[in-house]
Amino acid sequence: MNKLLAALAMAGVLLSGLQAHAQQPAKPTIVLVHGAFADTSSWNGVIKILEKDGYPILAAANPLRGVASDAGYISDIVSSIKSPVVLVGHSYGGSVVSSAANGHDNVKALVYVSAFAPEAGETAVGLTGKFPGSTLGPTLAPPVKLSGGGTDLYIQQDKFHVQFAADVPEVDAKLMAATQRPVTESALNEASGDPAWKHISSWFIYGDKDKNIPPQSLAFMAERAHSRQTVVVKGASHVVMVSNPEPVARLIESAAVGK
């Protein structure tokens, strides 16, 4: 009898544990959207931390062709995900996620990583020049003319380290420079549509040594969007997610749980 009671008690404990586990909500999918002059590998350090903490992740290959078309592409990806989503944008990718999140009830949070959070009608170029401090212009290589019209922009490889990723080891910055993804000039000058940050909570993180987007501009956008939490990483460059993946990952996790 004692053995039977013990077995029943053990079964009850196991059942309670299974029920508690089943009641825990599934973690949202983190969709990472890189910006201009970067690629999906820029998220590698962040991905390692988030995966270790049990988050499903998708690093999207942002086309960098135009705000509306890129947002449409990311929107299609979000539509394919049935779980809640946290949309994360870096740099120009912030403009993309600001639009892509519209119309998706499963997008629960927006995270801006050294990223634009434009108001309707604003452009990346306009926001970059809103406050002094950007030194991007002189570091751009001669535009690459496209056969279909328009031009692609790259950062000169010998200037990439200092301009884009000053706090990244030089050997890594050289790889990033060689593999950088170009953005069309028209994309940086394309007016944004209605921003999702007006109705979806947002979180911001950036470095105080950003040479692409002036930190003052980033602070302005974070305040305007009523950021739930804004983290400024001392000494960090434009690619804060590469040089400081830990605070970026922790902020994404805060957004994932709504804190």
Side-chain angles (χ1 to χ4, degrees), residues 86-109:
V86 175
L87 264 179
V88 184
H90 170 243
S91 190
Y92 163 82
S95 298
V96 174
V97 302
S98 291
S99 181
N102 285 321
H104 295 286
D105 292 337
N106 61 329
V107 177
K108 302 303 181 184

Side-chain angles (χ1 to χ4, degrees), residues 167 207-209 233-237 244:
D167 57 344
D208 67 355
K209 298 298 183 181
V233 182
K234 291 184 178 181
S237 69
N244 293 271

Side-chain angles (χ1 to χ4, degrees), residues 12 15 31 37 44 57 65 95 98 103 116 132 138 184 214 228-229 254:
L15 181 59
V31 177
F37 316 117
N44 284 354
I57 300 161
R65 301 295 86 187
S95 298
S98 291
F116 295 109
T184 63
R228 290 277 298 274
Q229 183 181 356
S254 292

